[in-house]
Amino acid sequence: MALHIHEAWILLFIIPALVTPAAINHEDYPADEGDQASSNDNLIFDDYRGKGCVDDSGFVYKLGERFFPGHSNCPCVCTEDGPVCDQPECPKIHPKCTKVEHNGCCPECKEVKNFCEYHGKNYKILEEFKPSPCEWCRCEPSNEVHCVVADCAVPECVNPVYEPEQCCPVCKNGPNCFAGTTIIPAGIEVKVDDCNICHCHNGDWWKPAQCSKRECQGKQAL
């Protein structure tokens, strides 16, 4: 029994001596962070120069292929010298455009103002309207309002009146004129006092009446 114990102690001293550093497999142990960092520095990335083009998201395009890079809405062609992008001369946006889209290479007008605004109201293109009794207006295709103001003739009386919804004044009692401060009708002679008979100028209603003295009535006897 003592012999077996002695042999066991001998084996315990001999076995560690037989295990050499070369016998340890380093793949069985994970590398530390320093070793991992040094191994990443040796990675080789693909070089696409002269072979293709890469957009902002990292997508690779072949030579001759058209694509839209992330920073531009204009199409580009992949060449050996890199992307060659179109730079078109975009048309001008209509000044009356109310909705512009920028989804394409050039901005595009999607909605043009199709009405006119006049004194706070909107009118359709070619619509005619009367903002006042003396105005006639129309909404032009240029979105501008053109108006014509009525030119009233000189009234044939000294007391014209304005009727509702009418532009020009009217002589409700016909032509007349002033004889002093008295209004007399045209076309007849009017005795304005004991000594004067007056009548209006024919057609010149704004002029004072023509008067002539007659024998005064009610002359006191001597």
Side-chain angles (χ1 to χ4, degrees):
M1 182 69 177
L3 178 61
H4 292 296
I5 295 173
H6 179 72
E7 292 175 352
W9 277 100
I10 295 173
L11 291 174
L12 290 174
F13 285 102
I14 295 175
I15 290 174
L18 296 176
V19 180
T20 63
I24 299 177
N25 188 357
H26 291 281
E27 295 180 356
D28 295 335
Y29 301 93
D32 57 18
E33 295 182 357
D35 294 338
Q36 290 181 351
S38 61
S39 63
N40 289 337
D41 293 340
N42 296 328
L43 291 177
I44 300 177
F45 294 95
D46 292 335
D47 186 359
Y48 293 102
R49 289 176 296 181
K51 302 176 183 178
C53 301
V54 183
D55 64 6
D56 292 351
S57 62
F59 193 85
V60 180
Y61 296 88
K62 300 178 182 178
L63 294 178
E65 191 173 359
R66 292 174 66 86
F67 67 100
F68 292 85
H71 64 280
S72 173
N73 287 326
C74 295
C76 300
V77 178
C78 181
T79 68
E80 292 184 356
D81 297 326
V84 176
C85 303
D86 293 340
Q87 296 295 332
E89 190 172 331
C90 297
K92 293 183 179 180
I93 298 295
H94 195 283
K96 299 294 184 180
C97 185
T98 57
K99 184 178 179 181
V100 181
E101 286 189 357
H102 298 275
N103 296 329
C105 185
C106 291
E108 185 177 358
C109 180
K110 289 296 183 180
E111 185 176 337
V112 178
K113 182 180 177 182
N114 57 354
F115 62 90
C116 299
E117 186 176 353
Y118 189 76
H119 290 175
K121 293 184 179 180
N122 295 336
Y123 300 92
K124 298 178 181 178
I125 299 297
L126 300 182
E127 181 179 357
E128 298 179 355
F129 58 96
K130 293 187 68 176
S132 70
C134 290
E135 289 181 287
W136 175 85
C137 303
R138 186 174 73 169
C139 175
E140 301 293 342
S142 61
N143 303 111
E144 296 179 352
V145 175
H146 289 173
C147 296
V148 176
V149 180
D151 186 12
C152 296
V154 178
E156 296 181 343
C157 60
V158 295
N159 56 349
V161 295
Y162 286 88
E163 295 288 350
E165 302 302 323
Q166 288 189 1
C167 175
C168 298
V170 295
C171 297
K172 298 188 71 173
N173 298 319
N176 56 38
C177 66
F178 277 117
T181 57
T182 304
I183 297 176
I184 61 174
I188 60 174
E189 291 186 344
V190 178
K191 187 177 182 181
V192 295
D193 54 34
D194 292 340
C195 300
N196 293 297
I197 296 178
C198 304
H199 67 276
C200 297
H201 290 274
N202 187 18
D204 297 334
W205 316 111
W206 62 92
K207 292 182 179 181
Q210 288 180 323
C211 299
S212 58
K213 288 184 177 289
R214 300 291 177 90
E215 184 178 352
C216 296
Q217 299 294 330
K219 184 191 300 183
Q220 295 181 354
L222 294 177

